[in-house]
């Protein structure tokens, strides 16, 4: 896929941009998706492991060199033990904010500072590298649709599509397309945790937590008219 150095949470965030608007979609639960991506990458790297359902750092002093991933590693290490589904939602906006700041620093986004009601500082982000996001989406759709066999898909690419479809990102696939490719999505979820049996359990739990978060956010938005 393009932009190999980009982390999984960064790629998921960029994938959420609708380049025809341009604007971010799925904003009500995007922070949960981005956090799930960070947890998944750290698990795939072997830096977070499952200890009887609890998210556990292998070495509290380990670092990846990626500020977003390292920030989450530090947060997990300094917090009380929690399950994977708890970490998908707990303070998830911290990870989203870190991803946006990182992408702005690297030139993918443009940040514009403003004040809400003339008092509270805020930042608006606009997409600066539309072709990059369109290439990312095209490659992700190839992973979703084939023709490459799932067994030949990289674990990070498999996790990207598994999580994005769990979060119902319309920028990747419509509801009809997700239904059409349901069997392959299940295979990609398995592939994302192919490195170890325990990792498969982690990927499944994180993906399930994303589905719950997305469903909850959609229900809330419908109830409030948002």
């Amino acid at each position: 896929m393009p932009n190999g150095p980009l982390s999984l949470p960064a790629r998921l965030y960029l994938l959420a941009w609708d380049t025809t608007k341009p604007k971010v979609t799925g904003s009500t639960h995007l922070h949960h998706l981005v956090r799930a991506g960070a947890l998944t990458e750290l698990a795939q790297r072997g830096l977070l492991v499952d200890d009887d359902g609890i998210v556990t750092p292998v070495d509290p002093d380990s670092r990846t060199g990626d500020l977003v991933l390292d920030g989450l590693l530090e947060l997990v290490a300094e917090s009380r033990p929690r399950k994977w589904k708890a970490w998908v939602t707990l303070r998830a906006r911290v990870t989203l904010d870190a991803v946006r700041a990182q992408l702005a620093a690297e030139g993918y986004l443009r940040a514009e500072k403003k004040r809400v009601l003339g008092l509270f500082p805020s930042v608006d982000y606009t997409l600066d590298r539309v072709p990059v996001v369109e290439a990312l989406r095209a490659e992700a759709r190839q992973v979703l649709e084939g023709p490459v066999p799932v067994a030949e898909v990289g674990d990070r690419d498999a996790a990207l599509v598994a999580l994005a479809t769990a979060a119902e990102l319309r920028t990747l696939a419509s509801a009809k397309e997700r239904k059409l490719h349901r069997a392959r999505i299940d295979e990609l979820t398995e592939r994302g945790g192919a490195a170890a049996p325990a990792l498969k359990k982690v990927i499944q739990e994180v993906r399930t937590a994303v589905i719950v978060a997305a469903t909850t956010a959609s229900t809330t938005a419908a109830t409030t008219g948002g």
Side-chain angles (χ1 to χ4, degrees), residues 42-183:
L42 288 170
Q44 288 179 333
R45 291 189 184 205
L47 296 173
L48 289 179
V49 296
D50 183 84
D51 183 4
D52 196 23
I54 300 299
V55 184
T56 306
V58 172
D59 179 356
D61 296 323
S62 293
R63 293 294 180 266
T64 66
D66 182 284
L67 293 177
V68 175
L69 298 177
D70 289 344
L72 180 54
L73 265 180
E74 186 175 350
L75 181 60
V76 172
E78 293 177 351
S79 302
R80 68 176 177 81
R82 289 183 171 87
K83 294 182 179 295
W84 295 95
K85 64 180 181 180
W87 277 115
V88 169
T89 57
L90 182 69
R91 298 179 62 188
R93 292 188 186 278
V94 171
T95 301
L96 175 60
D97 289 344
V99 165
R100 290 189 297 203
Q102 180 186 61
L103 290 172
E106 295 176 356
Y108 292 89
L109 304 175
R110 184 168 63 253
E112 181 181 343
K113 294 181 180 180
K114 65 176 186 178
R115 288 189 177 273
V116 178
L117 301 177
L119 297 173
F120 307 104
S122 180
V123 180
D124 275 347
Y125 292 95
T126 54
L127 184 62
D128 254 6
R129 296 188 182 178
V130 171
V132 168
V133 175
E134 290 178 342
L136 175 64
R137 181 175 302 111
E139 293 289 343
R141 284 192 63 88
Q142 283 191 346
V143 171
L144 173 63
E145 299 171 354
V148 176
V150 170
E152 297 178 16
V153 175
D155 57 355
R156 288 180 67 209
D157 292 343
L160 177 82
V161 172
L163 290 173
T165 51
E168 301 179 355
L169 277 189
R170 297 189 305 275
T171 48
L172 175 60
S174 66
K176 182 178 180 180
E177 289 171 324
R178 291 194 302 272
K179 184 177 181 180
L180 176 65
H181 299 293
R182 182 177 298 166

Side-chain angles (χ1 to χ4, degrees), residues 181-221:
H181 299 293
R182 182 177 298 166
R184 186 171 171 94
I185 290 170
D186 290 341
E187 291 179 25
L188 288 168
T189 303
E190 286 281 312
R191 177 63 184 164
L199 184 55
K200 289 186 179 182
K201 174 188 172 185
V202 168
I203 302 298
Q204 286 281 6
E205 288 196 16
V206 171
R207 181 173 178 267
T208 298
V210 170
I211 292 172
V212 171
T215 302
T216 301
S218 297
T219 302
T220 301

